[in-house]
Structures are given as C-alpha cells and as structure tokens.
Amino acid sequence: GTTDPPSILAGEYSTSIVGRAHRWDLDETTGRLVTAYKVAKNSATYHTGVSHMQGGLTVDGHLFISSSYPKLTWPVSPGTLWAGEPGEDAQDHQWPLLPEDLYYDVFLDRIWTCTEDPNSRFCTYAIQNKVKSGLCD
C-alpha cells in the first residue's frame, strides 16, 4: 500500500462474522514493526463489514479488501474485491475464485492477488488501480 509511515494491513478471516482489518506501522529505517518494549501494537482497526476477508491494502487513502465470498450483485463473480474510503460504504467488484492477500505495485499502479484452489491451479491476477477515476471491473 501507500501509507505514511509505511505499514502492514492484515485482515481477520471469519465465515460467521464480519472481519476487521488491523494496521501495524513499520519503522522507516529498518522496515520492521514499530515496537514498544518488544511488543507491536496495531495503529488502526477498521470494521470493514466484509466476511471471508483474505487480505487488504490501502492506496492513496483508499481501502481495498479481498474476500473469498462471492459477489452476488451484477455482474456476479466467485470472489469479491471491496474498495472505498475507510469509514464509508465500500463498492463491490468482480474478483476471482478463492483470492488471497493483496499486493500493490507502485511502479505499474496495479493491485495483485493470487488464488489458492487446492483442486486446481494457482493463479495470479492484476488489475489496474483506478482510484482517481473509479475502480472498474
């Protein structure tokens, strides 16, 4: 993602409740978690309203959450990518079957995921980040 200071965003997976996403800041010099007395404390918690959360990231203040729960609105898809500003209603977008974590490629302005289907091939997908003009499926 693109946060200042740099950080890690991790999603909480659950099939019975909606998960939360937690942010931990990174030391800009070492790239390691910021700690106090050898304990890392999250710097933010987002109550996303997303179930089956797999991964998340932020780009320019925009929050993206990958979910393995199907997108049920038209056009439907086997997974869902949620995108929006923290604290606001997110938009659902088409996403592949059994997606995992998200990665942001700052050089190509793309959001990546990989899939983990134990009965078939593992695939990697990328979409062009269109935060400024509206994310498109």
Side-chain angles (χ1 to χ4, degrees):
T2 58
T3 58
D4 187 20
S7 63
I8 294 174
L9 184 67
E12 176 180 50
Y13 179 86
S14 177
T15 59
S16 60
I17 61 169
V18 292
R20 299 169 293 185
H22 303 278
R23 178 176 307 288
W24 286 274
D25 293 335
L26 298 175
D27 183 292
E28 293 184 56
T29 305
T30 65
R32 295 180 182 199
L33 289 172
V34 172
T35 61
Y37 305 103
K38 297 185 180 183
V39 175
K41 184 174 187 249
N42 67 316
S43 58
T45 298
Y46 303 101
H47 298 273
T48 64
V50 174
S51 69
H52 298 77
M53 188 183 317
Q54 296 293 336
L57 59 81
T58 54
V59 178
D60 298 328
H62 221 74
L63 181 63
F64 295 90
I65 301 289
S66 178
S67 171
S68 56
Y69 193 79
K71 179 180 181 289
L72 302 175
T73 60
W74 184 258
V76 298
S77 65
T80 308
L81 178 66
W82 294 94
E85 299 290 326
E88 296 181 7
D89 289 339
Q91 299 288 320
D92 58 344
H93 301 276
Q94 290 178 296
W95 211 230
L97 178 68
L98 299 173
E100 284 298 314
D101 293 325
L102 298 175
Y103 168 76
Y104 177 64
D105 182 340
V106 67
F107 300 106
L108 297 176
D109 195 28
R110 290 189 179 148
I111 297 170
W112 292 83
T113 191
C114 60
T115 62
E116 66 160 3
D117 185 351
N119 298 315
S120 67
R121 296 181 182 172
F122 293 82
C123 298
T124 303
Y125 295 89
I127 60 167
Q128 192 66 40
N129 174 28
K130 297 185 179 183
V131 168
K132 292 177 178 66
S133 62
L135 184 71
C136 299
D137 290 320

